[in-house]
Amino acid sequence: MALAQATFRGPTGARKASRAVRTVPKASMKAVPGEIQVVRAPSVEQLQAEGVFSWPIWTCDASEFPWTYDQNETCYLLEGEVEVIPEVGESASFQAGDLVSFPAGMTCTWKVAKAVKKHYKFY
């Protein structure tokens, strides 16, 4: 099993110590209701098994914007640094080389600190 880690902020925005988020099997990165999942530096084998390199690519300059997920999304960051702050639950920070899943129904704010280039898949 892969250990996923992220940096979290509580509801007041105060920074909490990094802690483990949901631990997921490397071969089954799927969105979990209400949770952002981050896998740091997944193996090339895992990325290939997920089909990541055949997914479309999305880019975004440094910015901040609201977003609501109508479907689950899994993405793999090729470039950039992001913090996603959900309306409910804890925020997650991630960067190039991370595999991230978001649950359908989550409303959040994306804070893109460094321009993003990512592979993504909605399901």
Side-chain angles (χ1 to χ4, degrees), residues 28-47:
S28 63
M29 184 69 175
K30 300 293 180 200
V32 172
E35 294 183 16
I36 299 171
Q37 296 181 55
V38 179
V39 173
R40 304 278 184 212
S43 69
V44 172
E45 293 79 15
Q46 179 185 2
L47 297 173

Side-chain angles (χ1 to χ4, degrees), residues 4-6 21 24 29-32 35-42 46-47 50 52 55 69 72-77 82-84 92-103 106 110 118-121 123:
Q5 292 189 0
V21 231
V24 295
M29 184 69 175
K30 300 293 180 200
V32 172
E35 294 183 16
I36 299 171
Q37 296 181 55
V38 179
V39 173
R40 304 278 184 212
Q46 179 185 2
L47 297 173
E50 295 280 341
V52 168
W55 299 348
Y69 287 89
N72 294 322
E73 179 188 358
T74 296
C75 65
Y76 176 69
L77 268 69
V82 179
E83 179 181 17
V84 173
S93 297
F94 45 93
Q95 61 191 6
D98 291 341
L99 185 65
V100 187
S101 286
F102 305 95
M106 184 179 77
W110 272 64
K118 68 175 186 173
H119 283 288
Y120 69 95
K121 175 179 78 169
Y123 54 97

Side-chain angles (χ1 to χ4, degrees), residues 47-71:
L47 297 173
Q48 289 173 335
E50 295 280 341
V52 168
F53 302 114
S54 66
W55 299 348
I57 290 180
W58 178 82
T59 60
C60 178
D61 291 330
S63 58
E64 183 174 325
F65 58 91
W67 188 257
T68 298
Y69 287 89
D70 295 329
Q71 302 175 47

